[in-house]
Amino acid sequence: MRHLLTTLRHQQYRRCLCYISILFPSLRLVHYKPQKPQPPPSPPKPPKPPQKPVTFTLHNESWEDPYSWMSQLNDKVAMRHMDVYMEQEEKYTEAVLSDTERLQSKLQSEMASRMASDLSTPPLRWGPWLYYRRVEEGKQYPVLCRRLASLNEEFISNKSPSTGFDFSSGKRIEHKLLDYNQEAERFGGYAYEELSEVSPDHRYLAYTMYDKDKDYFKLSVRDLNFGSLLGKPQADRVSNLAWAKDGQALLYVVTDHNKRPCRIYCSLLGSKEGDILLLEEPQDNVHVNIRHTKDFRFVTVNMFSTTSSKVFVINAADPLSGLTLVWECEGQAHCIVEHHQGYLYLFTDAARESQPVDYHYILRSPVDSSSSPRKWENVFIDDQEFIIEDVDFSDSYLVLIVREGQKFRLCSVALPLPSGKGAVHLKELNPHFLPLPNYVSQISPGPNYDFYSSTMRFTISSPVMPDAVVDYDLSNGKWNMIQQQNILHERTRILYGSGSSAGTNMKSLNLDSIGEVSFEDDHLWNELSEFYACEHYDISASDEAVVPLTIVYSRKRKKEAQNPGLLHGHGAYSELLDKRWRSELKSLLDRGWVVAYADVRFVFT
């Protein structure tokens, strides 16, 4: 039976062929021959720039650099060759990644959609004013503005604040202080500002703009009442500046032709006399910088090299009275001097008893100390539990950013500190630990210009939370979320708003002794921990050294021992890695990647 069915099928097949040949005589039927597989295209070859070995010797060690010619920026022929090889490198990269074009386009679209659309900075209060920068529609550069804090509500409700005038109330709401689009016209279509300082009387703005043709920063001073530039000072190669005499004098630092800050000048505003040279440092290895204390009582002058560090102070009320040495140590050290009610406070990591340290500490000394050398006393007894990372002063509070292992805390201490007791434990001063979200990886002080305000601004960072700009009222511990990017804007749930402890039922807030908070509303800090996990581990290396490891992954995409990983490592100076949330990592995490941070040479103290 099977043979009969097979015979019938063959007969039907031949009959169909016969019909086809009769109906379509021009059609020629041929047997199909499968094509041989084509060999894959040869992989693209990377460009091969010429090697021109040059021998270098340093510290009795010699080595050859075959590509040293690429660093000859003044050699026009070499730079033309560099342009050719850079173009070849770009084409090679495109060829290698050609099979990922669709993925590249998708990733680019994803990342672009997460970019913050609000390009304005949050208003910063200083005295009666709110200062901020914003970008006008269709403009490339921002505009520096201010408005009276008393008119803030009217500004927010005004439909067209860019006009700067509310016709319904007849009040000028916004003051444009500096339009960087106009500055770009002054500097050949390019506007890059390095420094900007408003005078303490809010009358002048001193700022430096980069002149790309001359490769230095140029100082200008603008009268904010009239919007005009002052005739003086107008200096070139300026690297630092500080106000004195309540805004009537400006001190600034000028660099030499090797870009070394070495000279300090004082300009008396409104005076027709030339600017006065206060200091010139002749040694090629010594650098100079200046800053004013937060209360504008002193201008501090730091002079440092690889072998020594010195700090001088200038009386801001009389900037021509000379410099007074207040601190000196061996080696290059971080030294910041502040003033509070007759005391100088020094925040430093200078060596102690000729032994280097890997942490900061605080010293203080009376301003009118007559001892030589000046005597400094420790403010706090060394505490292994709390390492001071940074400090900030106001008239009534000292705020400390402290770290316990990898865990950060933020606390305030009432000022003035008790005198005559010597060094004390931090806990003896009844520190108030301020609320923080979980998994904090970094706390950065804001500008906090207003020395007499009880509110201080900080930026709080976490691997699972977009950076949050937060204002803390130190008088009561309440906080207000000022700015935070909305990563989950596409979701229907409202996860991002204006988080604030003031709008929370304080009975549901539980603050423990170390500053961690627990809220019934777990989205008060706008964390992403519902979607992404953050975990800490201590991993033993091959030499038995303990390496702190932080990993972040998507809770939804977690698969045991199957997820691809990206490891960030850093092994220098006992510094912690930057673990802030970055929106571009979301594309990796959502595809199942695990992002890990290894603090390879971080030292627990």
Side-chain angles (χ1 to χ4, degrees), residues 356-360 383-389 403-408 538-539 543-549 570-577 579 598-605:
V357 298
D358 56 3
Y359 58 88
H360 286 77
D383 192 334
Q384 297 293 328
E385 293 184 3
F386 293 105
I387 303 301
I388 301 175
E389 291 288 321
R403 175 176 50 81
E404 181 184 6
Q406 293 189 81
K407 211 163 192 177
F408 286 86
D538 292 331
I539 307 298
D543 59 355
E544 298 184 356
V546 176
V547 178
L549 185 70
H570 179 71
Y573 311 114
S574 298
E575 292 183 357
L576 289 169
L577 278 168
K579 306 180 185 71
D599 293 299
V600 180
R601 292 179 62 184
F602 176 70
V603 178
F604 287 106
T605 54

Side-chain angles (χ1 to χ4, degrees), residues 28-71:
R28 298 290 184 268
L29 296 176
V30 295
H31 291 290
Y32 170 74
K33 293 182 179 180
Q35 294 183 353
K36 294 181 179 181
Q38 296 296 320
S42 57
K45 296 181 179 181
K48 292 183 178 181
Q51 299 186 21
K52 302 176 183 179
V54 177
T55 301
F56 296 90
T57 301
L58 185 66
H59 301 308
N60 297 323
E61 295 288 339
S62 298
W63 69 95
E64 280 192 349
D65 183 356
Y67 301 108
S68 175
W69 63 271
M70 293 184 175
S71 63

Side-chain angles (χ1 to χ4, degrees), residues 147-159:
R147 63 181 184 265
L148 286 171
S150 59
L151 298 179
N152 187 47
E153 293 302 323
E154 294 177 63
F155 177 88
I156 294 174
S157 62
N158 191 4
K159 294 181 180 179

Side-chain angles (χ1 to χ4, degrees), residues 121-133 144-147 177 198-199 201-205 224 449 457:
T121 61
L124 180 68
R125 182 162 186 167
W126 180 15
W129 295 100
L130 291 170
Y131 290 88
Y132 56 97
R133 298 172 192 259
L144 175 63
C145 305
R146 72 180 177 190
R147 63 181 184 265
L177 306 180
V198 176
S199 61
D201 61 355
H202 304 276
R203 171 72 185 272
Y204 301 105
L205 171 67
L224 300 182
Y449 286 113
R457 179 167 295 178

Side-chain angles (χ1 to χ4, degrees), residues 1 12 18 46 56 62 69 176 193 210 252 274 359 365 372 398 469 527 546 555 558 596 604:
M1 178 64 73
Q12 291 172 353
C18 182
F56 296 90
S62 298
W69 63 271
K176 287 186 180 180
E193 177 190 78
Y210 181 65
Y252 60 92
Y359 58 88
S365 175
S372 182
L398 168 64
V469 180
E527 286 185 335
V546 176
R555 296 185 185 276
K558 181 180 180 182
F604 287 106

